[in-house]
């Protein structure tokens, strides 16, 4: 199976030199652009289109550290985008309880239209989101160096589950801020 890392000729790893990736993306985009084969037969045009699509998907996934982490985990057999993903069902109970408490506190602050409280909660959760992503990155680095050991997979799954929750929480905070300030 050709991975997004293969598209750029990169080793499979969490750490990516993003400026170098962007430069390589621009160069490959020029080489693969469908307009370069506009006069060629249908097969060549289709091949160019498929190459450009694969390049764009790979760039989108690898340039963003969160998407890259989710993609790496998927390469290790855990797809958190699937509703039936075992890792989602396997989140620690303490975290799920904490999620409920945070959600209730956010709902209460929004109901009172307490923008300062909502923003303070957003700042706190952003810090926790960053810490969870750092934890996932560490687990993914260990995983790439240690093969397919299940301990780093589980650790990365839980950390990325938290990232996903915190990201949704922050989206709700942002929507409330926009509504309040408009």
């Amino acid at each position: 199976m050709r991975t997004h890392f293969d598209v750029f000729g990169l080793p499979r790893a969490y750490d990516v030199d993003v400026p170098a990736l962007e430069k390589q993306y621009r160069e490959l985009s020029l080489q693969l652009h469908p307009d370069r084969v506009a006069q060629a037969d249908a097969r060549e045009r289709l091949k160019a289109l498929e190459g450009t699509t694969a390049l764009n998907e790979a760039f989108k996934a690898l340039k963003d550290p969160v998407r890259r982490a989710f993609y790496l985990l998927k390469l290790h057999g855990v797809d958190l985008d699937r509703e039936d993903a075992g890792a989602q069902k396997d989140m620690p109970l303490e975290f799920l309880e904490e999620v409920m408490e945070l959600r209730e506190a956010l709902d209460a602050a929004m109901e009172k239209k307490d923008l300062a409280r909502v923003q303070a909660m957003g700042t706190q959760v952003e810090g926790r989101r960053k810490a969870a992503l750092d934890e996932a990155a560490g687990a993914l680095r260990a995983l790439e160096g240690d093969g397919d050991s299940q301990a780093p997979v589980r650790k990365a799954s839980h950390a990325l589950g938290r990232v996903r929750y915190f990201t949704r929480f922050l989206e709700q905070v942002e929507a409330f801020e926009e509504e309040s300030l408009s």
Side-chain angles (χ1 to χ4, degrees):
M1 177 180 118
R2 188 171 188 219
T3 70
H4 293 330
F5 293 98
D6 296 335
V7 171
F8 286 96
L10 296 172
R12 195 165 80 171
Y14 176 77
D15 297 302
V16 170
D17 181 347
V18 174
L21 180 74
E22 290 171 342
K23 181 181 178 199
Q24 191 176 7
Y25 171 72
R26 286 190 297 275
E27 291 169 2
L28 289 172
S29 291
L30 291 174
Q31 290 174 16
L32 297 173
H33 199 280
D35 287 349
R36 292 182 63 99
V37 292
Q39 303 303 318
D41 63 37
R43 186 175 178 190
E44 286 298 315
R45 291 192 314 259
L46 179 61
K47 185 177 173 184
L49 183 62
E50 289 172 348
T52 299
T53 300
L55 179 66
N56 290 337
E57 287 176 9
F59 181 66
K60 187 176 175 182
L62 298 182
K63 75 175 183 178
D64 180 77
V66 174
R67 288 180 186 212
R68 188 179 330 124
F70 276 90
Y71 180 67
L72 268 172
L73 190 60
K74 185 177 177 179
L75 292 177
H76 286 280
V78 180
D79 185 355
L80 293 178
D81 291 329
R82 292 179 43 176
E83 289 299 320
D84 63 339
Q88 290 179 354
K89 296 175 188 167
D90 197 26
M91 288 298 287
L93 184 59
E94 311 84 53
F95 177 71
L96 297 176
E97 290 172 353
E98 184 183 333
V99 165
M100 286 179 51
E101 290 172 11
L102 273 172
R103 175 71 53 205
E104 288 171 5
L106 179 62
D107 288 346
M110 288 175 24
E111 192 173 302
K112 291 179 182 174
K113 303 206 181 296
D114 186 350
L115 180 59
R117 174 77 181 128
V118 169
Q119 289 174 324
M121 292 178 72
T123 300
Q124 179 194 25
V125 168
E126 178 56 40
R128 295 174 68 188
R129 179 184 174 276
K130 183 179 178 333
L133 182 58
D134 288 346
E135 182 182 327
L140 290 167
R141 286 182 190 108
L143 188 59
E144 293 306 319
D146 189 26
D148 284 329
S149 172
Q150 286 305 302
V153 169
R154 185 178 174 88
K155 187 173 184 178
S157 295
H158 288 174
L160 289 174
R162 292 195 315 271
V163 167
R164 172 158 290 151
Y165 167 74
F166 293 140
T167 298
R168 289 180 184 152
F169 185 95
L170 292 169
E171 289 169 354
Q172 193 171 358
V173 167
E174 187 177 312
F176 181 76
E177 285 176 325
E178 286 179 15
E179 184 182 307
S180 297
L181 299 174
S182 62

